[in-house]
Amino acid sequence: MTRDQAGILVIAAFLIGFHSRTLAQQSNTGTRTIEQTGANPLRLDPNTVNVLKGNVAARSASLAESAPKGFWIQAWNDPQQTFAWKVQVPQPGEYSVDVLVSGAPGGKIEIASPQGRINVTIPEGNDHWGNNWNKIPVLGWLTLQQGTSTVTARSPNPAGIATNGNNFNGMALMSLELTARSQKKAIDKRIRDSRSSAKWLTNAQYGLMFQWGEWGYPEHGERKPWPKMIDDFNVEKFADMVQSTGAGYVIWSATWRTYYFPAPIQAIERIMPGRTSKRDLIGELSDALKRRGIKLMLYYHCGYGDREWQSRNFGTNDADQIGSDALFRKNWIAITSEVGLRYGSRLAGWFIDEGWYPSPFEEQNRALKAGYPGRIVSFNDWVRPRLTDFEDVEFGEGFNCLNNGAGKLFPDGPPVGGDGIYVEGPHKGLQAHGMFILDGAGYGPEWGIWRPDTTIAKPAITSEQIVDMAKNAKAHHVALSFNLLMYEDGTVSPASLDAVKLFGKTVRGG
C-alpha cells in the first residue's frame, strides 16, 4: 500500500465515522424528549377531575409550545411523537378520559396505560374560530394500577385543521382530563347541583358591557386621581342611557388594566389599603338598574399585570404565575366571597377573565355564588374549549354571531328553536353567549379607554350586519353583550347607541 493509498483510507474512515455520528445525532434529535415538569409523579385524586396538561408532559422535542406559552402544545404532526405523564395512583381503578384537542376530523388518538388502551376519533364540527378545539369524551375506561404508572397519548394520523390554515402546524393538545369511575357519578352530581339557570340571560337577548375604571380618561386631558372618578360618576344618568337601548343587563368591569375596586371591600383593603373606594358604586349601579328592570353582572380580573398589587397578592410558590399559589387563591376566595355576600341577588353574575387552567374551579364557583346560589358564572376560555363544567355560561370573548371560521356559522349549535344551551362541542352544556367590541378606539379595536385623548371610533359593524346578528342570535337563543367605550364622565358614542337600538328593534320584531 502506498502512502497516498493509506492517506485515502484514513480520510475515508474519518468521513464514514463522521457520517455515522451525524446520522446518529439526527436520529437522536428525532427521538429526543423533553422531561416531565412540575409534580413528578402527578398525584391523582379520585374525588375530583384530574388534569394532565400537555405542557407538563414528557414529550417529543419536535412538539412546540403555544404562543403565549402554557396554553397548549402544537406541531403534533408525526405518528412517532408522544406525550407521557408519570402519575401516582392512590388505589387501583378505572378512569374516564376527556381529550381537549384541536385537529382535523378523522384524526385518531390513542390513550394508554400499562393495563390497556382506549381510542377516540376527532369528530366533524368546529368552534367559532375554525380551530376545531373540542373536549371529546373517550369511550371506555382507562385502567390504572395502584402506585406509580404512566399515561401516554399518541396519534397514528395527526393532522391540523384546514379551516385555520393549519395554524398549529398539526394537531394541538391542551390536556387529558381523568375522572375516577368510582366517583364519577358523585362528581357529575356536584356539577349539576352547582349550575344556575341562565334562562333570564337568553330572554334578555342582549346587554351592554363597559371596561371603565381607575385606568380611564376623559375625552381630553388628564384623568382624575383615584377615587375621584368613582365619587363623581352619575349613576342615574348612566342607568337612563342603558335603559334607552332596551338592554336587559350590564356587565361592569370591577377591575381590568389596574386593580382598584369601586366599593369598600375589606378583603382588598387588608391586602393593600387604598385600592377600594368608600362609595359603593357597584351597589348604587345595581339598585339604579334594578329600578329599570335591568340586571348587573361583574367582569373581574385578578390584577395580574398590576405590579404593585401583584407583589402583595401573589406568594413565592408560583414561579410561573399560573394562579396555583396558595396565598393568591386564599385572597381570591376571600375577595369574591365578600363581594357575593355583600350584594346577594343584586349581583346577577360573574365573568372571570383569567384563563388559568387548571384552577380549583369547583371552589371558585362556590365563592362566586356566595350570598346568592342563582348567580351565574363564566370563566374565560378564550379560543379554547370550556375549561370546566363548574360554570353556567359561555364567556364568548369576540363571538358576535357573525363569525364564520368553521365554514358554517354555528358549527356546534346551539340548535335553532332550542333553549340556547349547547348540546355538543367545546361548550357543551353551557348557555350560549358572546361579548365583543362594538366601537373601539381611533387607533383600532379596544375594550376600554386607558390612554389620554382617545377618540371613540364609529362601529365597524354595518347596519346590515347588525340585523343579521340579531336574526341569528334570536334564532339560536344566543345572548350578546355589546362592549362600548365610555369616557370618564360616562359619555359614550351616539353612533354606538344607535347600533344597539337597531339590534334591539330587530330582535323584538320591530
Side-chain angles (χ1 to χ4, degrees):
M1 180 184 295
T2 66
R3 180 178 298 177
D4 290 343
Q5 288 173 326
I8 290 171
L9 286 173
V10 170
I11 293 171
F14 173 80
L15 290 174
I16 290 170
F18 178 80
H19 182 64
S20 298
R21 287 195 301 274
T22 301
L23 286 176
Q25 289 168 353
Q26 290 174 343
S27 176
N28 289 339
T29 299
T31 59
R32 187 163 51 91
T33 60
I34 296 170
E35 296 300 317
Q36 181 169 324
T37 57
N40 190 359
L42 283 161
R43 291 185 174 275
L44 300 189
D45 181 355
N47 296 306
T48 191
V49 177
N50 298 274
V51 175
L52 308 186
K53 204 172 176 184
N55 70 329
V56 305
R59 60 189 184 275
S60 303
S62 53
L63 293 161
E65 280 266 15
S66 60
K69 291 183 177 181
F71 286 91
W72 57 77
I73 297 297
Q74 59 191 45
W76 189 3
N77 51 35
D78 186 335
Q80 299 303 312
Q81 293 169 320
T82 60
F83 296 83
W85 298 264
K86 184 181 290 186
V87 297
Q88 184 71 31
V89 186
Q91 57 194 43
E94 296 178 315
Y95 286 78
S96 69
V97 179
D98 288 326
V99 182
L100 282 71
V101 67
S102 162
K108 298 182 184 301
I109 302 171
E110 175 191 277
I111 313 299
S113 73
Q115 288 72 44
R117 64 193 61 200
I118 52 180
N119 299 276
V120 70
T121 300
I122 297 175
E124 291 284 348
N126 222 298
D127 53 27
H128 300 315
W129 318 113
N131 295 314
N132 204 25
W133 276 113
N134 212 332
K135 181 175 180 177
I136 310 169
V138 184
L139 292 177
W141 302 90
L142 184 68
T143 301
L144 292 170
Q145 291 299 320
Q146 185 174 7
T148 302
S149 191
T150 299
V151 177
T152 62
R154 66 180 72 237
S155 172
N157 61 336
I161 181 71
T163 47
N164 75 355
N166 194 21
N167 188 47
F168 299 148
N169 189 25
M171 297 197 319
L173 181 70
M174 260 183 68
S175 67
L176 306 182
E177 293 187 352
L178 275 60
T179 305
R181 185 174 188 174
S182 63
Q183 297 299 316
K184 184 166 174 52
K185 287 184 178 180
I187 293 171
D188 288 345
K189 183 179 185 301
R190 297 206 309 264
I191 290 170
R192 290 193 304 271
D193 291 346
S194 76
R195 288 283 174 89
S196 301
S197 173
K199 186 176 181 180
W200 67 263
L201 184 74
T202 303
N203 290 341
Q205 196 68 77
Y206 67 102
L208 303 183
M209 178 175 176
F210 300 93
Q211 304 243 250
W212 183 98
E214 182 273 343
W215 54 85
Y217 278 88
E219 185 173 2
H220 301 291
E222 290 302 313
R223 64 185 181 186
K224 297 175 181 178
W226 176 262
K228 191 71 167 58
M229 68 182 307
I230 304 300
D231 295 338
D232 293 346
F233 190 75
N234 191 326
V235 168
E236 293 300 324
K237 181 180 177 181
F238 171 81
D240 284 341
M241 178 268 289
V242 174
Q243 185 179 30
S244 74
T245 68
Y249 59 87
V250 166
I251 300 176
W252 184 270
S253 294
T255 56
W256 183 45
R257 292 192 65 88
T258 58
Y259 195 96
Y260 288 82
F261 203 97
I265 305 303
Q266 294 309 301
I268 297 173
E269 281 293 308
R270 285 192 292 270
I271 298 168
M272 191 171 181
R275 288 298 183 110
T276 66
S277 63
K278 291 182 180 179
R279 183 185 185 185
D280 187 351
L281 184 60
I282 300 298
E284 291 185 31
L285 285 169
S286 178
D287 293 342
L289 292 170
K290 183 178 180 180
R291 289 193 295 270
R292 294 162 174 84
I294 301 166
K295 292 182 182 292
L296 177 70
M297 297 185 285
L298 292 182
Y299 163 100
Y300 181 76
H301 190 281
C302 68
Y304 182 76
D306 181 330
R307 292 185 179 181
E308 191 177 12
W309 168 258
Q310 192 173 316
S311 68
R312 300 283 189 92
N313 194 36
F314 284 79
T316 58
N317 299 319
D318 188 13
D320 297 324
Q321 298 280 274
I322 59 170
S324 61
D325 178 74
L327 174 62
F328 167 73
R329 282 297 163 203
K330 178 182 177 182
N331 291 339
W332 196 100
I333 296 297
I335 292 167
T336 54
S337 296
E338 182 180 337
V339 172
L341 291 168
R342 181 183 187 90
Y343 298 115
S345 61
R346 297 157 69 200
L347 179 60
W350 288 97
F351 285 84
I352 305 301
D353 189 8
E354 292 166 15
W356 285 322
Y357 171 84
S359 288
F361 291 115
E362 184 174 6
E363 181 185 14
Q364 288 178 282
N365 185 286
R366 284 195 298 269
L368 293 168
K369 296 188 179 186
Y372 180 46
R375 189 177 298 131
I376 61 176
V377 167
S378 181
F379 296 97
N380 192 0
D381 49 38
W382 185 36
V383 299
R384 299 166 291 173
R386 66 191 186 279
L387 307 181
T388 179
D389 287 316
F390 285 101
E391 62 177 334
D392 310 295
V393 180
E394 176 188 12
F395 197 93
E397 180 178 343
F399 177 45
N400 62 10
C401 284
L402 293 177
N403 302 90
N404 199 22
K408 53 182 179 177
L409 185 56
F410 289 92
D412 286 310
V416 173
D419 55 8
I421 296 176
Y422 288 97
V423 296
E424 59 182 343
H427 298 104
K428 182 178 178 180
L430 301 183
Q431 194 80 46
H433 167 259
M435 63 168 64
F436 60 95
I437 295 170
L438 177 61
D439 39 31
Y443 54 81
E446 186 59 86
W447 290 94
I449 293 174
W450 56 278
R451 299 180 183 180
D453 301 313
T454 295
T455 300
I456 300 178
K458 291 183 179 180
I461 302 170
T462 66
S463 296
E464 290 76 13
Q465 288 176 313
I466 289 286
V467 170
D468 286 343
M469 286 167 54
K471 291 178 179 178
N472 289 329
K474 184 175 183 178
H476 292 267
H477 287 161
V478 180
L480 291 183
S481 299
F482 293 76
N483 186 87
L484 275 63
L485 294 187
M486 184 167 67
Y487 290 120
E488 193 177 64
D489 65 354
T491 300
V492 298
S493 164
S496 299
L497 292 180
D498 288 342
V500 177
K501 290 174 184 177
L502 175 60
F503 182 93
K505 180 180 179 182
T506 305
V507 296
R508 295 189 173 96

